[in-house]
Structures are given as C-alpha cells and as structure tokens.
Amino acid sequence: MKNYLETEKHLITLQFESEQKYLSEFRSGNYTLENPLVVENPYLINPLAAVICFNTDKETTVKITVKGKAVEGDFTHTFPAAKEHILPIYGLYDNYENTVVITLGNGKTSEVTIKVDELNVNRALYCHTTAEYFGKDLMVISTTTPLIDSCRTVGFDYAGDIRWMITNMQSWDIKKLANGRLLYTSYRTIQKPYYCVGLMEMDFSGKIYKEYRLPGGFHHDAIELENGNILAASDKDFNESVEDYVVELDRKTGKIVKSWSLLDILPREKGNAGDWNYHDWFHNNAVWYDKPTNSITMSGRHKDAIINFNYDTGKLNWILGDPEGWGEEWQKYFFKNVTKGDFDWQYEQHAAMILPNGNVFVFDNGTYRSKNEANRIDPEKNFSRGVIYKIDTEKMEIEQVWQYGKERGAEFYSPYISNVDYYGEGHYMVHSGGIATYRGKHTDGLGAMLLNKYKGEHIHLTLSATTVEIQNDEIKYELRVEGGNYYRARRLALYEERTNLELGKGEFLGGFGVTPEFMKIKFKDVEGGVPAKHNLSLVLEEDRLALRATFREGSEVILEFKGENESKFYSIPTVVHDVTAACVSFEEQNDNDFQFYVSREGISGDFDVYLNIDNKRYNTGYSIKL
C-alpha cells in the first residue's frame, strides 16, 4: 500500500474553516445584543482579537468600545447599520478581563467580558510618552528574531501595554494599504535564510485576504503604488545572486508586470561595504517610488549606497554614499558634500525614502563607518542614527540637514535592520531595532545570526530595540523592548473609517510558475530508504511540494517523481553561499541544510517520490497525488 503525503492546509484555508465554523454556530443560534456569540482569536494568529456576533430586528449602527485600563486606553469604533452584526474586536489585553461595551444606534447597551490568558511575549522595558501626544495609535514592531519564542510582532499603546500580536513566525515590514488593511510578509519561506513566498494582505484580526506569491519570493520591503500595484524586493535567480531585483505586481492578479535587475544597472564588485560578498553583492533593503521624478530608490547595504534610477528606463540617476572604491568612471553619479558643519556618510544603511521636498531620509546603521578595514570604528565607539540629506541633482551636491542618534553613541547602535518614518516636516520616527551586546560589550554581530553562533550562551547575549519619535527636535516618544531584535517599527491606528471584516475565503494570487525539469537520469537503486543523516522532510502544500534535507556541499542531488507513464526529475542545488547578513532568523540552520520546492503548477498525476544522491537512488517511502 502506498504512503501518500497528505496536503498540509494553508493558513488561508484554516482561517476559512474557522470562520465557517463560527458563522454556522452564529446563524443556527439565537444570538442577541444581550446574549452575543463571542469568538476569541477567530483567525488563529492574533490572541488579542475576537469577533462578537448578534442580530437585531431592525437595521442599526453599532458602536463598540474596547475598554482600556485607563480611559485614555479605550478604543472606539462605530460600524455601519445592519441587522446581522459580525464585529471585529481589536486591542484586547492579555492576562486581563477585558470589557467591550456595545451600543446600538438607539442608545441601548450591553457589555461583554473577554478574558485572555497571559502570553509569553517580550514587553516594554519602558514607554515614555503621553496619551495626549500618542493618542489611540499603536507602535507596531515586527520581529526579526522569531527563533526566540517571546519575540513576536506586537503593537504597544501609549502606556506601553501590548494590544496587538501576531503569533506566526512572520517578519519584515508592515505597512498600511489604502484600503486600510496591512501589507505583510507571507509566513512561508521559499529559500534560506529568510526569503519568503511573497506578501499577504491581512487585517488586524490576522485574517488573510490575499497571498501574492512570487517566483523569486520576497524580502525586506514593499510599497503600494498610486495605481494600487505593489513594488516589492524580490530575487531573480538564487543560484546567481540575491537581493538585487525588484518587481511590480499587478494587484488584481499578483502577476509581475515590470521588473528591474541591478546587475543591469551597477557594477558588482565596486564600492564594496564591509559585509560585501559576491552572492549577496548589493543586499537591497528598501524600495521607494517617487512620483515627481518617476524614479525608484533602493538601499544597498553591501555597497554603503542609496541608488536612484528611472522607473521607465532603468537608467541610473544618482548614488548617495561614500564614493571610495567605485573607480573614476562612477564618480559622476556621486554627490559632493557642501555641508557647513557636522557631516557623515551613511554605512550599511536601511529603509531609505524620498521626502515630499526631495530630501533623502534613511536609517544610517553606521556599521564599521569605513570601507577600509584598517579604519573601522569599534562598536563600543560607534553610533547609528536617522539622517536627512538635502540633495541637488543638478549640481550633484549634498548637505546633511538633520540627524538623531549620533549623540546617543553605542547605546543606540544597530549594525543591521531598523528604519525611519516621516510624519510631517520636523516630525520623525527613528527605530534602532538591532541593538546587541555580548558579555556586556556592543558588537557588530547581527542578532539574528548571533542566536545561531551562541546557541549555548544566550545568557551572555542581550538583544533589544529602541524606538523614538521626535517633533521639532523634542523627543515625544521612546519605547524600549528587550529580549529580541525588531526589524522595523510602524505607528498605526487599530480602528479607522475603513475598518471592516469581509467574510469569505482569502485568495491565492500570482504563483511560482512551472518548476524547471532536469534531464532524465539513471542512478543505482539502494535498499533501506534515505539515510537518516540527510534529515529528509517532505511536506505537500496546497500549491507546492517542500523538501528540506541535509547534504554534503557539492553533492549531485536529483528529486524524482516516478509515475506510471512518465517521470519528472528536478535538480536540487547544493552550493553553499556566503551569508554575511541574515536580517531574520526563522529557524536554526547549518550550511549543509538545503531547501527545495516543486510548484504544483503544470503537474498532475500519481507519483512515487525518489531521491537520487551521488549516483544512489533512494525510495523515500512517500507517494503524492497532484
């Protein structure tokens, strides 16, 4: 009898089943204002959310108030008139009996109590601000070290209390879309160390409405364009290079409509930063579109460079950064410093953006503060900062006009990740998310990588993040969280005019394409199955087969699907590439751990799965129906 792999359900499917279950219970019962159906964590990944369901005889608006521990912590929202009310509830506290007040349009009220158990999650060491300044917003910080169980993506209110959380091991940036939903990374990976399947559109309950799957996956950053499309950092060919490719997605289909490869724009081996390597030669961590100049801006950590090129033609406009090592022919793209006073170039920077006045705002990590190894700054004497540069693209001149963080020295030093945000002239956010000390000393090591390096010595490793808001040069907000590193911070409102829970199953958009096949090959059959040393794992997902295993570098490995009438062969790359900057740690990995995925697009049939390793053919013991 064949041992068929069962299809592992996607989170979209699991959420739909959860939704159908509570809707069935609701619609088969008699739930009223006085006796509503309360469903905690309805979409499985946010324990601080719920839905409250009830019917009314007449159409009526409904106002809900999620009571805070103090009145300043109340969240209030009014939903449109209806008879059937399925109300998303956000902003619950853990380890607390939460009260939700429901008020109908005629003034009739009722109260619901929702008790949430205590969660294992990092909390604010401190949060210095006022309710008058911060209002009803949350500071959402996305985890970059989810290997630490308590380090999850969370949102803090004005008092430093956690009011929102995602339990999945998701990372990268979170942005609010024009429709009020969130743009967040997929929870599945496509290649190590951290490349994800794509992007997801979800709401604050954690419900996923769309997953945009990309052939080259997603990493670091994405933005919504004015036409609704999404500009996203992706990869073209993992075997050739990574983090040097950006794509535009059609929002309705998820298909790629335009793409740019930096290998066509920049030299691979000039102007190298301290963490440069051949495979990850640019390490893009930002995507920004500027409408007035019709240009795309990207941030190359491994070039110490922010670059800008024309959206239509891909022609390079300028490079912002230390020009050392670029050679004479590239100097025309660099700016000349005309600052009168303090000026520093940025090094291994993150999250570059173009401001409305054309200035460049970026988080300057400052890693090494030199392209020359002999002149590197000791991390105990280094600093990170948010910095604004004024650029004149006609004269090719640059002036540093604002900064925050240098005055704080090493305590604010993040050698990786982090971001800035612009709220208005003179009103900024600076998030230093990758602070790390080992045995009490600040380090240039990246927290996400140090977790693997010091597996047995975490007691000596301290990871933290500090988020600051500055208005007219006055600190108006400061949050510090210890116990992990946090990729980026975003100030977001839980409830707003566009808040609405749409029922129905989420969509799968885009795709991986058809996985290229390898030539037919004949290996020698070996009895006994795949040796345990290879740690083989096969998972059949709704849209692909996922293989993970351990191989000796350079091994010839072929995955074989043997059917009754035909067989399919897929070559599994076993080249180990240098990783000098892993911005996220989703799982513990060794150099010889490999991942490979076969898309289900273009395949149908009944197959036995074999693994051919260095001229030996092993029966995995599994079969699949596609």
Side-chain angles (χ1 to χ4, degrees):
M1 178 178 281
K2 291 188 175 184
N3 181 21
Y4 286 100
L5 288 173
E6 292 188 14
T7 299
E8 181 178 273
K9 294 178 181 178
H10 190 282
L11 183 55
I12 284 178
T13 301
L14 295 172
Q15 289 185 342
F16 181 63
E17 291 177 350
S18 176
E19 182 178 272
Q20 290 297 102
K21 181 179 179 182
Y22 81 69
L23 286 176
S24 176
E25 181 178 354
F26 169 48
R27 289 169 177 165
S28 63
N30 183 27
Y31 292 99
T32 63
L33 172 66
E34 295 78 15
N35 180 37
L37 174 66
V38 180
V39 184
E40 298 176 31
N41 194 10
Y43 295 100
L44 312 176
I45 60 173
N46 180 5
L48 302 183
V51 290
I52 294 178
C53 310
F54 62 92
N55 291 302
T56 52
D57 293 334
K58 297 180 180 180
E59 283 199 349
T60 178
T61 59
V62 179
K63 183 175 80 170
I64 60 101
T65 300
V66 181
K67 300 295 289 182
K69 293 179 179 179
V71 67
E72 292 85 358
D74 289 357
F75 291 122
T76 299
H77 183 70
T78 300
F79 293 93
K83 288 184 178 180
E84 183 181 74
H85 307 279
I86 302 170
L87 311 177
I89 305 300
Y90 312 141
L92 302 175
Y93 299 94
D94 75 312
N95 195 28
Y96 190 72
E97 283 199 3
N98 296 272
T99 299
V100 181
V101 179
I102 308 169
T103 306
L104 301 185
N106 62 10
K108 192 174 182 180
T109 67
S110 178
E111 288 191 1
V112 172
T113 299
I114 304 175
K115 187 178 188 310
V116 180
D117 293 336
E118 184 175 5
L119 301 172
N120 175 28
V121 61
N122 296 336
R123 303 183 189 273
L125 185 65
Y126 61 76
C127 181
H128 300 321
T129 191
T130 64
E132 291 75 21
Y133 167 76
F134 202 66
K136 304 296 184 180
D137 292 343
L138 295 185
M139 185 63 75
V140 173
I141 55 175
S142 52
T143 178
T144 205
T145 50
L147 272 179
I148 302 172
D149 290 339
S150 61
C151 189
R152 290 293 178 265
T153 295
V154 290
F156 297 90
D157 68 8
Y158 79 98
D161 288 317
I162 293 175
R163 308 290 295 274
W164 186 75
M165 178 180 179
I166 293 295
T167 54
N168 261 0
M169 291 178 69
Q170 293 169 253
S171 186
W172 304 125
D173 199 4
I174 296 180
K175 289 188 173 78
K176 185 167 277 193
L177 296 165
N179 63 10
R181 294 176 185 159
L182 303 175
L183 185 65
Y184 198 21
T185 180
S186 172
Y187 67 96
R188 300 185 292 164
T189 57
I190 197 169
Q191 187 55 265
K192 72 176 193 179
Y194 50 53
Y195 304 107
C196 297
V197 159
L199 289 151
M200 301 194 310
E201 185 176 317
M202 74 178 194
D203 65 21
F204 277 106
S205 71
K207 178 173 180 175
I208 304 164
Y209 293 91
K210 303 176 192 295
E211 182 180 56
Y212 300 96
R213 299 163 301 168
L214 301 175
F218 167 77
H219 62 89
H220 282 93
D221 200 14
I223 59 166
E224 181 181 21
L225 299 175
E226 195 174 77
N227 64 4
N229 286 355
I230 295 170
L231 207 60
S234 186
D235 290 299
K236 187 176 183 180
D237 180 354
F238 290 111
N239 296 318
E240 170 61 25
S241 61
V242 291
E243 305 190 27
D244 55 3
Y245 192 60
V246 63
V247 298
E248 181 180 340
L249 308 181
D250 184 285
R251 187 71 168 277
K252 295 178 181 178
T253 65
K255 299 295 185 182
I256 295 173
V257 296
K258 197 169 177 62
S259 63
W260 301 262
S261 172
L262 295 189
L263 285 171
D264 298 330
I265 299 173
L266 293 175
R268 190 167 188 160
E269 298 186 60
K270 290 184 181 293
N272 301 339
D275 285 327
W276 179 90
N277 68 70
Y278 186 80
H279 190 240
D280 186 10
W281 64 276
F282 187 77
H283 194 97
N284 177 50
N285 55 50
V287 178
W288 190 266
Y289 175 75
D290 183 54
K291 184 178 179 180
T293 58
N294 189 34
S295 65
I296 294 174
T297 299
M298 297 171 68
S299 166
R301 182 183 191 268
H302 291 175
K303 291 291 188 183
D304 297 324
I306 301 165
I307 71 160
N308 178 274
F309 57 88
N310 183 273
Y311 170 90
D312 291 323
T313 65
K315 182 178 181 297
L316 183 65
N317 293 322
W318 49 259
I319 304 173
L320 193 162
D322 185 343
E324 181 181 348
W326 282 85
E328 187 61 35
E329 68 271 33
W330 292 90
Q331 295 303 309
K332 63 183 179 181
Y333 294 106
F334 285 86
F335 295 97
K336 177 185 177 182
N337 172 34
V338 294
T339 307
K340 296 178 181 178
D342 193 18
F343 178 90
D344 295 284
W345 291 117
Q346 86 290 344
Y347 292 89
E348 302 207 353
Q349 72 293 319
H350 282 74
M353 63 171 65
I354 306 297
L355 300 186
N357 62 5
N359 289 350
V360 180
F361 193 15
V362 65
F363 187 89
D364 169 20
N365 295 83
T367 314
Y368 310 129
R369 292 226 167 263
S370 175
K371 290 180 174 295
N372 187 329
E373 188 172 352
N375 297 328
R376 289 181 178 179
I377 302 296
D378 186 284
E380 281 287 291
K381 298 177 181 178
N382 209 343
F383 61 91
S384 295
R385 61 183 180 150
V387 60
I388 298 176
Y389 296 109
K390 180 180 179 180
I391 58 171
D392 184 329
T393 56
E394 295 296 324
K395 297 180 179 179
M396 292 304 290
E397 294 178 343
I398 187 170
E399 182 182 358
Q400 181 177 301
V401 296
W402 185 88
Q403 66 175 333
Y404 175 84
K406 183 174 183 178
E407 66 276 24
R408 298 187 64 159
E411 68 154 347
F412 203 65
Y413 175 55
S414 286
Y416 78 134
I417 61 173
S418 311
N419 72 304
V420 293
D421 211 349
Y422 171 86
Y423 303 147
E425 188 61 33
H427 195 188
Y428 315 118
M429 185 271 286
V430 182
H431 170 71
S432 186
I435 302 168
T437 63
Y438 180 67
R439 294 187 180 273
K441 297 286 188 180
H442 287 273
T443 172
D444 288 324
L446 314 188
M449 299 179 74
L450 294 175
L451 289 174
N452 275 332
K453 182 177 181 179
Y454 298 122
K455 288 179 183 177
E457 301 181 76
H458 287 181
I459 190 172
H460 302 301
L461 179 64
T462 299
L463 305 180
S464 63
T466 301
T467 309
V468 181
E469 290 188 0
I470 306 100
Q471 187 172 33
N472 299 325
D473 293 326
E474 179 185 355
I475 295 176
K476 305 290 284 186
Y477 176 96
E478 180 163 330
L479 170 75
R480 183 171 177 83
V481 181
E482 293 185 349
N485 283 158
Y486 292 86
Y487 178 68
R488 287 189 184 175
R490 294 290 173 197
R491 183 173 172 176
L492 303 173
L494 269 183
Y495 284 107
E496 56 168 59
E497 197 173 308
R498 298 165 292 181
T499 299
N500 183 36
L501 176 62
E502 290 188 15
L503 301 175
K505 188 174 182 179
E507 298 179 88
F508 298 95
L509 298 175
F512 307 118
V514 176
T515 304
E517 294 184 44
F518 194 66
M519 63 182 180
K520 185 175 180 179
I521 196 163
K522 183 69 175 177
F523 285 170
K524 179 181 179 182
D525 285 324
V526 176
E527 299 292 331
V530 180
K533 68 180 181 180
H534 292 298
N535 302 311
L536 176 65
S537 166
L538 291 172
V539 178
L540 184 61
E541 300 176 4
E542 293 185 29
D543 52 4
R544 63 180 188 169
L545 176 76
L547 177 149
R548 292 177 180 229
T550 302
F551 304 115
R552 178 178 53 82
E553 182 180 7
S555 293
E556 183 180 18
V557 181
I558 307 295
L559 178 65
E560 178 185 350
F561 293 172
K562 183 179 183 300
E564 186 175 346
N565 299 316
E566 67 168 341
S567 294
K568 295 179 177 295
F569 300 87
Y570 304 94
S571 177
I572 300 176
T574 58
V575 176
V576 177
H577 297 289
D578 289 336
V579 177
T580 50
C583 296
V584 180
S585 56
F586 287 119
E587 57 191 300
E588 290 187 7
Q589 294 175 331
N590 297 311
D591 285 346
N592 295 100
D593 294 338
F594 295 94
Q595 302 176 23
F596 186 75
Y597 302 89
V598 178
S599 168
R600 295 179 68 161
E601 293 181 40
I603 308 178
S604 63
D606 192 318
F607 302 95
D608 299 324
V609 182
Y610 288 80
L611 197 60
N612 302 281
I613 308 172
D614 292 331
N615 298 314
K616 295 179 180 179
R617 182 174 184 253
Y618 301 96
N619 188 336
T620 67
Y622 293 107
S623 300
I624 54 176
K625 287 183 179 179
L626 302 174

